[in-house]
Amino acid sequence: MAASSTARSFLQVAATEEVVSPLRVVQIEGLVILKIIKHCKELSPALVTGQLLGLDVGSVLEVTNCFPFPIREEDEEIEADGANYQLEMMRCLREVNVDNNTVGWYQSTILGSYQTVELIETFMNYQENIRRCVCIIYDPSRSNQGVLALKALKLSDSFMELYRANSFTGEKLREKNLSWVDIFEEIPIKVSNSALISAFMTELESDTPVTQCDYDRLQLSSNPYMERNMEFLIECMDDLSMEQQKFQFYYRSLSRQQAQQQTWLQKRRAENMARKAAGEEPLPEEDPTNPIFKPIPEPSRLESFLITNQIANYCNQINGVAGQSFNRLYLMKSLHDN
């Protein structure tokens, strides 16, 4: 009886639906971060991608290994070779007993310009086979400013639901209370190193108090970085203006159609009054075959949401770099006065 009750309990546990805990932290080993930085910097300014491998443990996504994808052109045969390369890499890692569970991918970006429809489509393709996955974004151009521009992103559940339904109309967005800041969720990154690696890095630290890198922080020029940010920001503003023109054209067409419907309806009602006076049956007040009653599709707001998100990203970068530049200028002015 005890064995049967135990078996039943196992079956009951297997039958119950597993409650997925929300993802709280992405834990990355230091060696993985060095691999990502090396791959992205070596081929910069070309954009590169790679696979993330690790374990999904509770609310922590552990990234323990990664490997780069070969750069491919827009060709079906080359894309097939890339897929075969990925499968072969996974098989080789499995043979040497290395973690080969896919937990996402990494990619490089230029000045944080990663918020595109292609990134969302890649997320949705990964979500079909992986319950939880993340994308590690690394920006070599921003890292040159003294910041480790590394972030882990995932799509919000509410946005994925709307994307699957392909309904980015104003009504659906208001119903879900979704705005442009709710597309991506940034997950905190925790760097993990073993005790031996930490001890080795401590031994590698130099005893000299000041290095050339420390002097480089006092450089007052930030013009190239600021200029490129401003150029990208202006391009995004032009794109947003074009998206707004689409909506203006839609609302003009909608108001014109409603005016035509009202004119047609008044004419039909006058005709029905004449038919009633003549003893004839009235005609229907709606005619689905009439082109003016055909609904005009509302443009998707996805592109405008992504562009707005990208504009906010550029503004934050410009604000941060400008603040640091002003701090250096005030510091040098004080040193000069003294």
Side-chain angles (χ1 to χ4, degrees), residues 46-301:
L47 302 181
V48 297
T49 61
Q51 191 87 324
L52 297 177
L53 307 174
L55 299 171
D56 186 358
V57 183
S59 61
V60 179
L61 193 68
E62 298 182 4
V63 181
T64 58
N65 202 355
C66 68
F67 63 87
F69 288 157
I71 298 180
R72 60 177 186 268
E73 303 294 335
E74 296 296 332
D75 191 350
E76 292 182 358
E77 296 182 358
I78 299 179
E79 288 184 0
D81 293 341
N84 294 332
Y85 168 81
Q86 180 180 352
L87 294 175
E88 184 67 17
M89 282 291 298
M90 302 284 283
R91 185 185 64 81
C92 294
L93 292 173
R94 184 168 58 251
E95 289 180 355
V96 296
N97 198 23
V98 176
D99 291 337
N100 62 335
N101 299 318
T102 301
V103 294
W105 79 100
Y106 70 86
Q107 69 179 49
S108 61
T109 183
I110 298 177
L111 298 179
S113 55
Y114 58 85
Q115 300 174 6
T116 60
V117 178
E118 288 76 12
L119 178 63
I120 296 175
E121 292 176 350
T122 306
F123 259 117
M124 300 306 295
N125 292 332
Y126 269 82
Q127 289 285 345
E128 292 180 358
N129 301 316
I130 305 174
R131 183 178 61 180
R132 291 193 301 191
C133 68
V134 295
C135 177
I136 302 297
I137 304 291
Y138 178 73
D139 191 347
S141 59
R142 193 180 176 200
S143 296
N144 294 333
Q145 303 296 319
V147 179
L148 181 59
L150 196 74
K151 60 175 63 177
L153 299 176
K154 66 180 289 291
L155 292 178
S156 62
D157 296 335
S158 56
F159 176 80
M160 285 193 294
E161 183 180 350
L162 282 180
Y163 190 85
R164 291 190 182 99
N166 195 19
S167 57
F168 287 100
T169 61
E171 181 181 356
K172 289 293 183 181
L173 293 172
R174 287 190 295 270
E175 180 182 338
K176 295 292 183 179
N177 195 21
L178 187 73
S179 65
W180 56 272
V181 296
D182 301 323
I183 298 178
F184 296 101
E185 293 181 8
E186 186 173 353
I187 310 299
I189 293 178
K190 178 182 178 182
V191 182
S192 173
N193 287 317
S194 66
L196 291 176
I197 294 178
S198 300
F200 179 68
M201 293 176 64
T202 304
E203 290 293 329
L204 290 178
E205 290 183 357
S206 59
D207 297 331
T208 56
V210 178
T211 62
Q212 183 62 35
C213 180
D214 295 325
Y215 288 119
D216 292 340
R217 297 179 184 178
L218 297 178
Q219 290 183 359
L220 303 181
S221 175
S222 60
N223 291 336
Y225 185 80
M226 293 283 287
E227 287 177 1
R228 297 190 66 189
N229 268 285
M230 290 299 296
E231 290 173 359
F232 285 0
L233 180 60
I234 291 172
E235 291 178 2
C236 281
M237 294 299 294
D238 293 338
D239 294 338
L240 184 61
S241 177
M242 293 178 62
E243 289 294 323
Q244 290 177 346
Q245 290 177 7
K246 291 180 182 178
F247 284 100
Q248 291 174 359
F249 178 77
Y250 164 73
Y251 285 118
R252 284 198 302 266
S253 302
L254 187 62
S255 61
R256 190 184 307 114
Q257 184 188 54
Q258 291 175 352
Q260 292 175 353
Q261 290 176 357
Q262 290 296 327
T263 303
W264 186 90
L265 187 59
Q266 291 175 2
K267 183 179 178 181
R268 177 55 60 90
R269 287 175 179 174
E271 185 179 354
N272 284 337
M273 291 178 63
R275 291 176 66 89
K276 285 182 181 180
E280 299 176 358
E281 291 189 3
L283 298 174
E285 294 188 353
E286 289 186 3
D287 186 6
T289 60
N290 196 322
I292 63 174
F293 286 98
K294 185 178 180 180
I296 302 175
E298 181 179 348
S300 175
R301 298 176 184 264

Side-chain angles (χ1 to χ4, degrees), residues 27-54:
Q27 180 175 303
I28 309 178
E29 292 192 3
L31 181 59
V32 177
I33 294 180
L34 293 178
K35 286 182 178 180
I36 294 174
I37 294 175
K38 182 176 182 293
H39 183 210
C40 296
K41 279 193 172 183
E42 282 182 348
L43 299 176
S44 180
L47 302 181
V48 297
T49 61
Q51 191 87 324
L52 297 177
L53 307 174

